[in-house]
Amino acid sequence: KTLKEFRHHKNLRVLCCGGDGTIGWVLSALDEIKNFSPDVAILPLGTGNDLARTLNWGGGYEDENLSPILTKIENSSKVLLDRWKITIKGNDELDKPKSMVMNNYFSLGVDAE
């Protein structure tokens, strides 16, 4: 509901603070609002932060000063992200279709300690 109130602001940017699941949830919430697709930046607070790493937002927040992070967001350029919605329908008409949204990105690297 709150996001809908800001949909008319042309230069609105959303800062999503969380991990891959939180980012997916925020992007899905934005998908539900018609004619609204603000830029989304990531402050990685999750466990793996795979999407944040792939999009060059870093692997995790380490209690840094927020001012440089906000400057980075202000100066960042837009990168498009493929999102797929898949609906699975059962064989029986009584089976309720199940849908899921996936973020499609590729990364390669070793970050295990």
Side-chain angles (χ1 to χ4, degrees):
K1 180 179 177 180
T2 302
L3 286 171
K4 288 181 184 179
E5 295 174 13
F6 291 98
R7 70 177 174 257
H8 300 294
H9 294 274
K10 295 183 189 252
N11 294 322
L12 177 72
R13 293 180 182 165
V14 174
L15 175 58
C16 181
C17 303
D20 296 335
T22 303
I23 296 162
W25 178 80
V26 168
L27 293 175
S28 291
L30 291 171
D31 286 344
E32 293 178 10
I33 304 171
K34 302 288 184 211
N35 302 317
F36 184 61
S37 56
D39 297 345
V40 177
I42 302 169
L43 182 62
L45 298 177
T47 305
N49 300 310
D50 294 328
L51 181 57
R53 289 176 195 272
T54 300
L55 297 176
N56 215 18
W57 289 106
Y61 175 72
E62 298 179 8
D63 201 24
E64 306 151 55
N65 185 340
L66 287 178
S67 182
I69 294 170
L70 295 174
T71 300
K72 181 179 177 183
I73 291 168
E74 184 177 9
N75 296 325
S76 64
S77 56
K78 183 186 285 191
V79 176
L80 298 179
L81 177 66
D82 288 334
R83 288 177 48 79
W84 300 353
K85 181 176 183 179
I86 297 176
T87 302
I88 301 170
K89 298 179 182 178
N91 292 333
D92 188 346
E93 288 184 20
L94 298 176
D95 289 340
K96 188 174 181 179
K98 296 176 183 166
S99 296
M100 83 153 88
V101 177
M102 296 186 304
N103 298 320
N104 183 32
Y105 58 92
F106 177 80
S107 69
L108 182 65
V110 179
D111 57 30
E113 293 183 26

